[in-house]
Amino acid sequence: MSPHPTVAKTITARPVIACHECDLLQRAIAVPPGGVARCRRCGGELYRAAHRRLDPTLALVLAAAVLFAVANAFPIVGLEIQGIRNVTNLFGAVQALWNQEMRPIAALVFLTTILMPAVNLAVMIYLLLPLKLGRRPAGLTVIMRVLQSVKPWGMLEVFMLGIIVALVKLTHFATVVPGLALWSFAVLTLLLAAAAASFNVRDVWDRAYPAPRGEVRA
Ligand SMILES: [Zn+2]
């Protein structure tokens, strides 16, 4: 039991937020829907109003997980040269790079197009599914940190651009047959961007630690 219940209640109701730009600590305030809270000193954006709805993000992430599985299971592209057809999936391409002594590139492609997107999707599902069911996922703080560090490493859109350029060049001397995985990757890139846009960190904290009844959380 806290010796100063009033103080403790105030702190719980109005968390302290550090400005990303100038580190000034400020108490959170309630923000109207669509509104933005800005730093008192530098005017930097502190946070946006919470949507309080995680369902659209969860739906996008689950759809992205299915597409990610399809994109990795099926051939990404087939090449036909003089009647000989060669197909490969993404992991096969990574293996080919590895075997051709391009190991740093193989590792980078594996990291940015397979491992990090997989970890990102797994973490998002681990986070959002229990919250949807009304439970707080174990290790929430650690998971949020993992999510922040994984995010910049997922580079599927860069990979997609690279593939398009490579395919256009390859059409000069081989017949290029786009595989199911290529279309899946294209849609997956859009889904991941939509999921990232609809994901609001404050919604997660609000759902995990709901404000007491009658209080408006910023
Ligand atoms: Zn500031």
Side-chain angles (χ1 to χ4, degrees), residues 10 12-15 17 26-38 46-50 52 202 206 211 214-218:
T10 310
T12 317
R14 298 184 63 197
I17 308 272
Q26 294 149 91
R27 291 239 178 261
I29 52 158
V31 178
V36 178
R38 294 198 176 276
L46 292 176
Y47 54 86
R48 290 177 175 272
R52 294 170 196 273
R202 291 188 64 80
D206 277 3
E215 271 176 25
V216 180
R217 176 75 75 85

Side-chain angles (χ1 to χ4, degrees), residues 11-213:
I11 289 168
T12 317
R14 298 184 63 197
V16 174
I17 308 272
C19 173
H20 290 288
E21 309 293 332
C22 72
D23 280 346
L24 180 68
L25 291 175
Q26 294 149 91
R27 291 239 178 261
I29 52 158
V31 178
V36 178
R38 294 198 176 276
C39 173
R40 172 185 285 250
R41 180 159 67 190
C42 73
E45 183 179 316
L46 292 176
Y47 54 86
R48 290 177 175 272
H51 306 302
R52 294 170 196 273
R53 285 173 61 230
L54 295 171
D55 295 8
T57 316
L58 180 61
L60 287 166
V61 168
L62 288 176
V66 172
L67 270 179
F68 184 74
V70 172
N72 277 286
F74 288 90
I76 194 160
V77 69
L79 287 180
E80 237 176 65
I81 305 171
Q82 292 172 346
I84 302 166
R85 188 160 178 191
N86 223 327
V87 291
T88 185
N89 60 11
L90 183 55
F91 191 69
V94 170
Q95 275 180 317
L97 283 171
W98 187 268
N99 293 335
Q100 286 167 29
E101 302 301 322
M102 287 188 263
R103 292 186 174 171
I105 297 176
L108 210 57
V109 172
F110 177 74
L111 194 76
T112 55
T113 60
I114 300 181
L115 187 64
M116 287 308 174
V119 173
N120 190 8
L121 285 170
V123 164
M124 292 280 271
I125 292 172
Y126 175 83
L127 199 66
L128 296 177
L129 209 52
L131 287 174
K132 164 77 186 156
L133 301 174
R135 286 186 283 121
R136 188 186 305 157
L140 180 64
T141 315
V142 177
I143 287 296
M144 291 298 271
R145 286 207 181 115
V146 169
L147 194 62
Q148 291 300 320
S149 25
V150 159
K151 249 188 211 167
W153 287 98
M155 297 184 196
L156 273 178
E157 59 283 1
V158 179
F159 174 70
M160 276 308 293
L161 279 177
I163 284 193
I164 292 167
V165 172
L167 289 186
V168 169
K169 287 195 177 284
L170 279 172
T171 49
H172 295 309
F173 59 92
T175 311
V176 176
V177 186
L180 178 62
L182 188 65
W183 305 116
S184 307
F185 269 119
V187 181
L188 180 61
T189 309
L190 296 177
L191 280 181
L192 286 178
S198 79
F199 182 70
N200 187 337
V201 175
R202 291 188 64 80
D203 289 337
V204 171
W205 292 117
D206 277 3
R207 189 67 73 92
Y209 298 94
R213 280 175 79 86

